[in-house]
DNA sequence: GGTTAAGGCATACGCGCCGTATGTCAACTC
DNA sequence: GAGTTGACATACGGCGCGTATGCCTTAACC
């Protein structure tokens, strides 16, 4: 019967996550009040500390959630690509476009690294990074990409993409900056392609 | 005689900056106490708020200082390069090595963007970014680099470099990760070189 | 050179927020 | 159906930031 207890517990956890996500997106991690946030979810800080440990734990959970969604969208973008190389570019384009969402920028790209440290050390293991690493590994194994260190290349590519997104978002005309960023990214990636 | 007044004021400002830099590096922006920080400089928060406005203003000043030092070192590295293309790689290598300094990572790469927003919008104008932009512009003008958007390329390259530094620093064996990051960076940049 | 204006810095206060310790009540166990 | 567990609420303490206010030294000016 799944237990009446575990059911409401899970529901509360979900509501807490949603409220935290909204609060972190709107006010940033430091500016978000846990009292307000929990009240918005119809609960108190007691529930929060019981389920997430502390404020950092809450952020980690929110980051993991968004990161998972991003990885899924990137996978979908890659799936509809012609070949594996095109999949790499499609993934990057997907990341950049997703990072234009203020919620993603604020939580995953800015507060995440500042509070939780380097993404490769996140408890959630950074699904996005794993995604590009897999793609790069496939390309190298197939001989499509030069024999570069997979970890390094994946990190550089994803770093370039996410930084490009920050630039596009901060620019005065994002709609004109976006294609330029994508062009430059495609060219840079070309340097890694086998000759 | 330069004024006895302005002299001590400037000295106090310098000591405050140094104390803030040390405190931000050790405890992070959020964890650094302004009371402790100012006491370490032999002053109180009054001096701080008078000279820097608020905690953010203090961070902005510290970031501007470190950023300036980084840009100077990058320029020096570029100056001793064979040609302009080599200068681009030398600059990147310099950035990556500088970012292995925990102080630089913590303050400029993590807390800086999270608290002050995108680097291109910093009050200090981000000397590092301007440096690579200039280098890229020279390369494009000379026909050494393909006719890519200068802003976009500079942002991608510097983003990749700084992200590579975060990866190297977080890796278990930074001394082996570093050359791999540099290799991958050189290859990626190669994609931008004119054919 | 004495008075006045100004500005750099210290002191005092209030408020919000986080983390923990403690309490309570409903749900599962036997 | 009594005991126990565990999810969540309540209460408390402390810290840290920002501002308002006051003092005291330096520079300006007649």
């Amino acid at each position: 019967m799944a237990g009446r207890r575990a059911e409401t517990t899970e529901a509360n956890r979900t509501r807490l996550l949603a409220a935290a996500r909204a609060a972190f997106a709107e006010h940033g991690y430091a500016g978000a009040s846990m009292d307000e946030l929990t009240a918005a979810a119809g609960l108190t800080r007691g529930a929060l500390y019981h389920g997430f440990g502390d404020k950092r734990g809450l952020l980690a959970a929110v980051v993991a959630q968004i990161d998972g969604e991003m990885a899924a969208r990137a996978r979908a973008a890659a799936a509809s690509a012609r070949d594996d190389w095109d999949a790499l570019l499609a993934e990057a384009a997907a990341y950049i476009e997703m990072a234009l969402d203020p919620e993603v920028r604020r939580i995953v790209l800015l507060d995440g690294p500042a509070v939780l440290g380097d993404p490769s050390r996140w408890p959630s293991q950074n699904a996005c990074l794993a995604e590009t690493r897999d793609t790069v590994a496939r390309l190298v194994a197939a001989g499509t990409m030069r024999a570069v260190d997979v970890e390094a290349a994946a990190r550089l590519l994803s770093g370039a993409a996410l930084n490009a997104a920050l630039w596009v978002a901060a620019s005065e005309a994002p709609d004109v900056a976006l294609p330029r960023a994508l062009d430059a990214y495609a060219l840079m990636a070309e340097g890694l392609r086998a000759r």
Side-chain angles (χ1 to χ4, degrees), chain A:
Chain A
M1 59 188 71
R4 188 102 204 105
R5 179 79 162 216
E7 193 172 312
T8 66
T9 295
E10 191 54 29
N12 283 342
R13 185 186 165 86
T14 302
R15 288 164 59 200
L16 235 21
L17 264 177
R21 188 166 165 165
F24 288 157
E26 185 175 359
H27 306 104
Y29 175 78
S33 162
M34 308 190 53
D35 278 315
E36 287 184 12
L37 177 167
T38 50
L43 298 166
T44 69
R45 284 206 339 272
L48 207 157
Y49 279 94
H50 187 75
F52 298 94
D54 61 352
K55 200 180 184 184
R56 274 191 60 174
L58 182 62
L59 178 65
V62 171
V63 163
Q65 186 182 54
I66 302 180
D67 179 52
E69 296 172 7
M70 290 176 70
R73 280 191 55 181
R75 239 192 314 272
S80 60
R82 282 187 223 89
D83 51 36
D84 273 2
W85 186 265
D86 212 50
L88 180 73
L89 300 183
E91 266 181 26
Y95 283 144
I96 296 178
E97 283 159 15
M98 283 186 273
L100 294 184
D101 178 2
E103 185 180 64
V104 170
R105 274 207 315 281
R106 177 81 254 177
I107 299 179
V108 179
L109 301 188
L110 297 178
D111 286 333
V115 177
L116 305 176
D118 191 80
S120 61
R121 301 283 184 143
W122 286 355
S124 58
Q125 279 289 31
N126 203 319
C128 284
L129 208 51
E131 193 60 32
T132 47
R133 180 169 48 235
D134 289 352
T135 303
V136 168
R138 263 200 308 276
L139 288 167
V140 169
T144 310
M145 185 177 281
R146 300 171 74 157
V148 67
D149 185 80
V150 172
E151 292 280 337
R155 190 59 197 258
L156 283 231
L157 287 169
S158 105
L162 297 179
N163 235 284
L166 289 177
W167 171 66
V168 171
S171 80
E172 289 142 18
D175 51 331
V176 43
L178 179 55
R180 291 183 185 172
L182 293 176
D183 279 358
Y185 183 90
L187 283 181
M188 278 184 53
E190 202 65 30
L192 296 177
R193 203 202 280 244
R195 298 285 142 75

